[in-house]
């Protein structure tokens, strides 16, 4: 048991910026923001200077830095496995963001096109992605380091409080509905199977899937002494922006997806007969929409992660509030808006890092572990099989 933690960050993009803010606010554990590495050393130096996150290093240097305890991976899905294995081999604990693993063209060669990756049979994708997720869990186990799965939804205060109230009720969660949606990712990697390994269902739907698995697992353990798990999945995916009819129409949502879906839905069938329905969509204007509805036998919760209306603002024009930020994926200020008072808190990013720091320094089981990430990967790729083959997929398949 220690009370300090030295963190190395890999990546200097969107998530890395969020993590840099959140690591600075962890309390009760002395977190040293030791170093950052990115695809290029210059980017790491610039990130360190801008955010105050230690110093810039190359990835090799960061992994060789003996004093770093935990590596926080904020890099495209394509490199999650490789960097997790390298960090574990270097004796470092790992926090890997969602999705834990993905199919981005393993086995096709470095020059495979986005189209050839997209054409791979979904069963093969399922097996490859799952093999990677398993390998990550095993590598960390063999090295004796912890693998944390970075699912922020679980630590959103709204979800945490709902889970606490649910535990206090007698009720059973009968139906859950969750979605994360916006109008298209900022990341150029996200449009391409070769980097992301899927579309909206993987990139956005992974969040509600993670939260649902976590909630039903807890509920099962509490009510019947065994985790409630998903046994089969039914799903649909599509890219409605590829429609020729869209040509010439005014379009504010992202377009140009390279074979990945911009919309996906999956029905999770739990072994107690209850259901979870998940949506991931890049077709929803109006900023980040993250919501979880929990319909219990004697209760109901509406967890509004984003937006929520703790603060509503009106501005006659863009620029009324200077260059102030409103919320994720909202660029303008004009009209009514919902500036989130503390987005890192309400999204659960802050709570996630607090939990990682506490679990590591207390040397206890991660509250959000690689095993959960593995299950999410399994469900997403089973969903892709279901969507491709038009059938319900049993997870033993
Ligand atoms: N709520 C959440 O939990 C969120 C999770 N994510 C996840 O975070 C990951 C990154 O996404 P995001 O931050 O949006 O993407 P960005 O494109 O904004 O950032 C990715 C970063 O990784 C760097 N990078 C790419 N390849 C390597 C490599 N081999 N070694 C070191 N650095 C590398 C990139 O450098 P360069 O720009 O030079 O290529 C860039 O700095 C994804 O897995 C995504 O799913 C993302 C957003 C939110
Ligand atoms: O939460 C999120 C917000 O959007 C990003 C880009 O689509 C996702 O990668 C991420 O998981």
């Amino acid at each position: 048991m220690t009370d300090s933690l030295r963190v190395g960050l890999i990546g200097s993009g969107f998530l890395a910026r969020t993590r840099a803010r959140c690591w600075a606010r962890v309390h009760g554990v002395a977190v040293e923001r030791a170093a950052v590495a990115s695809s290029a050393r210059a980017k790491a130096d610039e990130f360190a200077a801008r955010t105050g996150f230690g110093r810039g290093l190359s990835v090799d240097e960061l992994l060789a830095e003996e004093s770093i305890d935990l590596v926080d991976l904020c890099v495209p899905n394509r490199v999650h496995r490789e960097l997790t294995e390298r960090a574990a081999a270097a004796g470092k604990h790992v926090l890997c963001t969602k999705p834990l693993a993905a199919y981005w063209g393993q086995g096709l060669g470095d020059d495979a096109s986005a189209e050839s990756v997209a054409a791979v049979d979904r069963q093969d994708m399922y097996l490859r992605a799952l093999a990677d997720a398993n390998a990550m869990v095993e590598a960390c186990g063999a090295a004796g380091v912890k693998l944390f799965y970075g699912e922020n939804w679980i630590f959103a205060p709204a979800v945490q409080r709902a889970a606490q109230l649910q535990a206090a009720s007698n009720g059973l969660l009968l139906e859950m509905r969750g979605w994360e949606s916006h109008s298209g990712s900022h990341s150029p990697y996200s449009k391409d199977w070769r980097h992301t390994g899927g579309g909206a269902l993987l990139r956005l739907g992974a969040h509600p899937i993670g939260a649902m698995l976590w909630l039903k697992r807890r509920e099962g353990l509490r009510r019947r002494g065994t985790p409630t798990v998903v046994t089969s999945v039914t799903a649909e995916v599509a890219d409605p922006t590829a429609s020729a009819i869209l040509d010439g129409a005014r379009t504010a949502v992202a377009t140009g997806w390279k074979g990945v879906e911009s919309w996906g839905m999956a029905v999770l069938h739990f072994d107690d007969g209850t259901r979870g329905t998940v949506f991931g969509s890049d077709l929803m204007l109006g900023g980040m929409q993250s919501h979880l509805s929990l319909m219990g036998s004697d209760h109901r919760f509406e967890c509004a992660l984003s937006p929520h209306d703790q603060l509503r603002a009106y501005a006659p024009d863009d620029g009324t509030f200077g260059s102030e930020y409103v919320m994720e994926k909202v660029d303008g200020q004009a009209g009514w808006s919902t500036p989130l008072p503390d987005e890192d808190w309400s999204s659960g990013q802050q709570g996630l890092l607090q939990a990682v720091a506490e679990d590591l320094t207390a040397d206890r089981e991660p509250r959000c572990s690689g095993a959960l990430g593995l299950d999410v990967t399994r469900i997403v790729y089973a969903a892709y099989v279901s969507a491709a083959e038009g059938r319900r997929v049993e997870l033993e398949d």
Side-chain angles (χ1 to χ4, degrees), residues 3 12 48 65 125 147 181-182 190 203 232 284 305 321 351:
D3 57 3
S12 59
E65 179 66 54
M125 288 191 175
L147 174 59
S181 303
H182 50 61
S190 70
R203 194 164 25 82
S232 60
M284 203 181 265
L305 281 64
F321 306 132

Side-chain angles (χ1 to χ4, degrees), residues 10-15 38-39 43 59 74-77 79-80 97-99 150 152 186-187 189 207 349:
I10 304 189
S12 59
F14 178 82
L15 181 66
S38 193
S39 51
K43 289 191 182 182
V59 172
C74 302
V75 289
N77 305 343
V79 288
H80 285 186
T97 183
K98 47 58 58 177
N152 53 290
H186 53 274
S187 172
Y189 295 116
H207 292 293
Q349 293 283 1

Side-chain angles (χ1 to χ4, degrees), residues 98 180 182 185-186 203-204 207 288 328-329:
K98 47 58 58 177
E180 185 162 301
H182 50 61
S185 173
H186 53 274
R203 194 164 25 82
L204 302 168
H207 292 293
M288 173 64 97
E328 186 175 340
K329 309 280 187 302

